[in-house]
Amino acid sequence: MTATLIWILVALVAIGLYLSWTAGRLDRLHARIDATRAGLDAQLLRRASVAQELATSGVLDPAASIVLYEAAHAARQAEEEQREVAESELSQALRAVFAEAGQVEAVREAPGGEAAAGELTEAVRRVPMARRFHNDAVRAARALRRHRKVRWFRLAGHAPFPLAFEMDDEPPTALAERTPA
């Protein structure tokens, strides 16, 4: 009788430790999602700021400046629900403005243009990486949250279900082809 109670107690402790470890893992995944989302937000803000700065610099033609400025401004001011759409529109505006390598060269030849073009190239290159890191963290947390043990024992607590950030982040060909100086 005593041996049976000891084995039951050992089994319950083992199950409790396993559930505690799983809850800790899920908590670390949620923290990772928060960190990657902050990194993604920083990269998106950097890209919009550089695009806005370039649009107001007078280096681009007036039509391209207006298109780029409005898209960058909309991306910076977008509410959370509209953020993916606004960022996709900024990507489309960047591709439209920098569709030709000649436009990038014109920016590079202007005073201070080499630095501005290099900064834009870096910002455009980092957004897809930051988005990929964020979406990978979301995918891992979703996979763990789908397990029955997580749902049955409510190991996720009151944390909201993680959502991926879906946007068009394809860089302009003229900027992607050239490596930064």
Side-chain angles (χ1 to χ4, degrees), residues 35-101:
T36 58
R37 181 57 190 245
L40 175 61
D41 287 341
Q43 293 305 322
L44 291 172
L45 180 62
R46 180 174 180 231
R47 181 181 76 153
S49 297
V50 170
Q52 211 169 18
E53 186 178 309
L54 192 59
T56 58
S57 68
V59 174
L60 301 173
D61 64 89
S65 292
I66 291 171
V67 167
L68 194 56
Y69 181 83
E70 286 180 356
H73 181 70
R76 288 183 73 175
Q77 300 299 319
E79 296 292 327
E80 192 61 35
E81 304 85 40
Q82 298 297 319
R83 184 97 187 265
E84 293 172 351
V85 173
E87 294 294 346
S88 294
E89 289 173 355
L90 177 56
S91 294
Q92 293 166 2
L94 284 166
R95 280 197 308 272
V97 170
F98 296 106
E100 300 171 5

Side-chain angles (χ1 to χ4, degrees), residues 14-175:
I15 290 170
L17 286 173
Y18 178 70
L19 290 176
S20 175
W21 175 81
T22 303
R25 180 172 169 226
L26 190 57
D27 185 52
R28 287 188 303 274
L29 283 172
H30 282 149
R32 184 172 143 210
I33 288 171
D34 291 342
T36 58
R37 181 57 190 245
L40 175 61
D41 287 341
Q43 293 305 322
L44 291 172
L45 180 62
R46 180 174 180 231
R47 181 181 76 153
S49 297
V50 170
Q52 211 169 18
E53 186 178 309
L54 192 59
T56 58
S57 68
V59 174
L60 301 173
D61 64 89
S65 292
I66 291 171
V67 167
L68 194 56
Y69 181 83
E70 286 180 356
H73 181 70
R76 288 183 73 175
Q77 300 299 319
E79 296 292 327
E80 192 61 35
E81 304 85 40
Q82 298 297 319
R83 184 97 187 265
E84 293 172 351
V85 173
E87 294 294 346
S88 294
E89 289 173 355
L90 177 56
S91 294
Q92 293 166 2
L94 284 166
R95 280 197 308 272
V97 170
F98 296 106
E100 300 171 5
Q103 184 72 18
V104 176
E105 291 306 318
V107 169
R108 289 186 187 280
E109 290 171 2
E114 187 69 34
E119 194 173 346
L120 181 63
T121 301
E122 280 301 309
V124 164
R125 186 173 295 155
R126 287 181 181 178
V127 167
M129 288 188 297
R131 189 174 76 86
R132 193 173 312 119
F133 291 148
H134 173 70
N135 288 349
D136 286 347
V138 167
R139 197 173 303 112
R142 282 181 168 183
L144 185 58
R145 286 183 70 152
R146 280 192 207 107
H147 291 164
R148 280 188 212 134
K149 65 180 176 269
V150 173
R151 292 192 317 263
W152 288 350
F153 293 102
R154 298 178 186 230
L155 299 180
H158 297 289
F161 194 73
L163 299 174
F165 195 87
E166 298 300 331
M167 66 172 271
D168 173 10
D169 60 2
E170 184 180 334
T173 309
L175 288 176

